[in-house]
Amino acid sequence: MYTVILFLHVLSAVSSIGPFFVLVPLTQRMNEASGDVLSAQIVTFRSAVRLVKHAGHVLVTTGVLLIWQSYWQWTTSWIVMTLVIMFGSIVFLARAFKPVLKKFEEPHADRRSLIKKLQRSLWIYIAILLAMLWLMVAKPELW
């Protein structure tokens, strides 16, 4: 059973990070898009964020099960740091994308500025996710 849970955990980690790499070129194409094409790209962006959010639920659930079934303690440094970063990433995810995507609906929105915010947030969030991934793979003893 441990192996199945570990597989689901890794699959959800890939599903949590992967869509953001697809969104990087999408944001670049948003600069030239207009009308229905831009609307479709915004829907795609929202869908990717939603997928990542749900993959995160699986990631957390399987992570809890893995710790429960292993010899790792909740006070282990890499687990504590992963949890700290994870809670920060949840707050960041809630504030970084949805409000910016909503502003695209405003009639006089500065699209270039909004796209730059999305691109910046994408790279910050990718860095946050990669930091958590590193902690889970390397399992460093930080203290």
Side-chain angles (χ1 to χ4, degrees):
M1 189 63 162
Y2 185 85
T3 306
V4 171
I5 296 169
L6 180 61
F7 176 76
L8 291 173
H9 189 67
V10 171
L11 185 63
S12 62
V14 169
S15 300
S16 292
I17 298 172
F20 285 114
F21 286 103
V22 174
L23 293 178
V24 171
L26 178 71
T27 57
Q28 294 167 350
R29 285 189 295 246
M30 288 171 79
N31 280 314
E32 289 83 36
S34 62
D36 290 341
V37 174
L38 180 61
S39 294
Q41 290 170 336
I42 291 170
V43 167
T44 301
F45 203 104
R46 282 188 179 127
S47 298
V49 171
R50 193 174 309 121
L51 169 69
V52 166
K53 186 170 47 172
H54 293 303
H57 296 140
V58 176
L59 187 64
V60 170
T61 303
T62 55
V64 168
L65 291 172
L66 286 171
I67 293 169
W68 177 59
Q69 290 188 346
S70 71
Y71 62 90
W72 296 105
Q73 301 295 314
W74 286 102
T75 55
T76 304
S77 62
W78 68 268
I79 293 173
V80 171
M81 288 307 298
T82 301
L83 291 171
V84 167
I85 294 172
M86 182 190 69
F87 288 120
S89 75
I90 291 168
V91 172
F92 183 83
L93 184 63
R95 293 182 176 179
F97 300 111
K98 192 173 183 177
V100 176
L101 292 169
K102 200 169 197 84
K103 287 185 181 184
F104 275 97
E105 299 169 5
E106 296 175 4
H108 300 293
D110 181 5
R111 183 172 64 177
R112 297 227 187 266
S113 171
L114 294 174
I115 291 169
K116 283 187 181 211
K117 283 182 183 179
L118 287 176
Q119 289 171 330
R120 183 174 169 271
S121 295
L122 272 174
W123 285 113
I124 291 171
Y125 197 66
I126 287 170
I128 290 169
L129 293 174
L130 291 176
M132 284 190 292
L133 182 63
W134 177 79
L135 287 166
M136 287 185 277
V137 171
K139 297 177 179 31
E141 190 174 314
L142 303 171
W143 58 78

